């Protein structure tokens, strides 16, 4: 059983984890989008790519996540409201 996907964005950096992938993010911001490049490990293999996250009208976030010279995934996420901000 795998854990739910997790994405955290803080300033110009972030982290994402889903499935066997764990990666760090370098971020840049637009008015309603975040653009990123990423690098990390997927099943012990070094991987990298780029992507973007867009806030949709219904409050969901759509994340386009592409591996360098490889597959692309589109994820839809909602904010976890059970945690509190520091």
């Amino acid at each position: 059983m795998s854990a739910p996907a997790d994405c955290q964005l803080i300033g110009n950096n972030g982290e994402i984890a889903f499935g066997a992938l764990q990666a760090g993010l370098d971020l840049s911001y637009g008015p309603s989008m975040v653009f990123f490049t990423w690098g990390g490990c997927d099943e012990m293999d070094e991987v990298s790519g780029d992507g973007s996250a867009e806030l949709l009208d219904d409050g969901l976030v759509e994340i386009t996540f592409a591996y360098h010279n490889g597959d692309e995934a589109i994820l839809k996420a909602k904010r976890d409201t059970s945690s509190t901000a520091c």
Side-chain angles (χ1 to χ4, degrees):
M1 183 173 165
S2 64
D6 182 55
C7 181
Q8 298 181 19
L9 309 177
I10 303 169
N12 292 329
N13 298 300
E15 297 177 350
I16 192 164
F18 67 92
L21 174 76
Q22 292 186 354
L25 306 173
D26 291 320
L27 308 171
S28 62
Y29 294 90
S32 64
M33 293 186 77
V34 176
F35 302 94
F36 56 86
T37 57
W38 60 272
C41 292
D42 189 355
E43 295 185 350
M44 305 291 289
D45 292 325
E46 196 171 313
V47 291
S48 64
D50 60 22
S52 62
E54 179 180 12
L55 180 60
L56 303 176
D57 291 338
D58 61 5
L60 295 177
V61 175
E62 183 174 275
I63 303 168
T64 301
F65 195 82
Y67 284 80
H68 180 71
N69 292 327
D71 293 334
E72 181 175 295
I74 297 177
L75 311 169
K76 288 206 177 178
K78 65 179 179 176
R79 185 178 186 155
D80 181 2
T81 57
S82 65
S83 62
T84 58
C86 298

